[in-house]
Amino acid sequence: MDVLDLTRLQFAVVTLYHYLFVPLSISLSAATAGLQIAWMRTGDDKYRQLTMLVGKLLIVTFAVGVVTGLVQEFQFGLAWSEFARFYGDVFGPTLAIEGMLAFFLEATFLALWYFGWDRLSRRVHLATIVVVAVGTLLSAFIILAANSFMQHPVAYELDPATGRARLTSFSELLLNKVNLAAFPHTMAGAVMVGGALLLAVGAWRLRDAADGAAFATLARVGAWMTAAGGALTALTGDHLGKVITQVQPMKMAAAEALYATTTGAPFSIFAVPGFSIEVPRLLSILAYGSPDATVAGMDDLQAQYSAAYGPGSYVPMIPVAFWTFRLMIGAGMLAMGFALLYLWRTRRGRRPAAWMLRVAILLPLLPAAANSLGWIFTETARQPWIAFGLSKVADGISPGLTAGEVLASLLAFTAVYGVLAVVWLRLVRHLARKPLSAPVPVAADPEPALSY
């Protein structure tokens, strides 16, 4: 592997690892706020107990996400300084605001929530976790705007004096049509990941007799989140696919390995040389919403791009695009299907089968894989562009980098992240195994002094 390949691999490792914790932080903060609202409205102490448990899971996940997010932003200076130099005026505001939201708003109010149980009034205390939940959404929306610029550059002009891209409208950058489509899709995927984790924790503890009612509720909350998130992911993904077809037709063609322009293009569920399972006209529906639409093939698009941008290959890695797209959909559907089955089998207080409890423990792997595969597809199927139609990936790496330097940092990051993964898993297991906190007589003490 040359310097460019190693640099891309390092960025992929850093990004994908960081993104394991981002959707969890988003969904767990919303789940914590929802459970606390349920406690305040019903007075049922199991909701308070679950609020504290999910909140602790959020804190552990948020801490790891912040650490890995710092490395994520440092990558622009470490290995992609040419990209940062050219697009820094566009990316700078989004990274700065996202950093302030994550470090100042979210971290501050999460600390207030954690330490404020016996110091703040109930409504103020609830407001702190609601602010955290809203902050995670704002943070995600703003950072997705930066990524959407790479998919569909808007709100910029080239400075004739410096030759750099200059931001012309921050609101236009935020309202990029790719961002407006990608944000709800990404948030729906986040709901799936968080729901699967809660379902796994609840199902794991249901094997014991202690706290059975509370963990049965937690498992069903997680199942509802996973199922609803799966349905919303499908709906928002359909819209996102149509937007991507408008701005990056090569990406949609690569998703089907469609070389020739085709009217009423089919979609392959599975394909190997000499054999495929196809759904007629489905790709045309996914791309344009019409079974009779014409989908541009990669051969024609390659000719168009060569004429517009100069000689070179503009076709991404087809096997990666083809299989990540299908595996993403398959993993998400399996997770949603299991969640729906769990809800059906546990309706009216019924206890799930023993095999379901065992399988549920592994459920978070499916939506986590779907999220990761989705980002691999999104980024690799844009290749060779770093900002579509403007500059290529090879133009963005730091000058003077050697393969040895990149390999050394890649190994270091991988080792540190491996340690963080073990720490996070052990902490989550520790929190999940602990007995729930003792009941609080809510009616007798409307402002209970709660502690961890």
Side-chain angles (χ1 to χ4, degrees), residues 147-160:
N147 181 267
S148 297
F149 176 87
M150 299 167 70
Q151 313 294 336
H152 178 53
V154 298
Y156 78 98
E157 63 181 11
L158 296 179
D159 190 323

Side-chain angles (χ1 to χ4, degrees), residues 348-361:
R348 299 176 182 173
R350 298 178 183 178
R351 184 175 177 83
W355 71 266
M356 296 192 74
L357 297 179
R358 291 192 294 269
V359 172
I361 297 173

Side-chain angles (χ1 to χ4, degrees), residues 359-405:
V359 172
I361 297 173
L362 301 176
L363 184 65
L365 296 176
L366 288 175
N371 274 321
S372 297
L373 290 165
W375 277 114
I376 293 172
F377 169 75
T378 298
E379 302 306 309
T380 59
R382 189 186 66 243
Q383 306 297 317
W385 301 106
I386 195 168
F388 187 81
L390 292 181
S391 58
K392 297 181 179 179
V393 174
D395 302 325
I397 65 173
S398 301
L401 275 179
T402 65
E405 291 170 341

Side-chain angles (χ1 to χ4, degrees), residues 17 21 60 64 67-68 411-427:
Y17 189 89
F21 302 98
V60 170
V64 177
V67 173
T68 55
L411 293 175
F413 285 139
T414 303
V416 172
Y417 282 0
V419 172
L420 286 176
V422 173
V423 171
W424 182 81
L425 285 171
R426 290 179 66 88
L427 286 173

Side-chain angles (χ1 to χ4, degrees), residues 287-356:
Y288 295 103
S290 170
D292 299 319
T294 299
V295 181
M298 289 182 288
D299 290 340
D300 288 343
L301 291 170
Q302 168 65 28
Q304 294 175 23
Y305 289 178
S306 296
Y309 305 117
S313 175
Y314 298 93
V315 178
M317 295 178 286
I318 303 304
V320 175
F322 184 89
W323 286 111
T324 54
F325 192 72
R326 280 149 186 78
L327 291 173
M328 170 191 68
I329 295 172
M333 291 181 65
L334 283 174
M336 182 177 66
F338 180 85
L340 289 172
L341 178 62
Y342 186 91
L343 289 171
W344 174 254
R345 292 293 297 269
T346 58
R347 67 193 187 279
R348 299 176 182 173
R350 298 178 183 178
R351 184 175 177 83
W355 71 266
M356 296 192 74

Side-chain angles (χ1 to χ4, degrees), residues 1 57 82 119 157 166 174 188 234 238 255 262 269 417-418 435 450:
M1 300 177 73
L57 295 174
E82 284 300 302
R119 295 173 176 84
E157 63 181 11
R166 183 172 61 193
L174 293 180
D238 177 70
T262 304
I269 302 299
Y417 282 0
L450 306 178

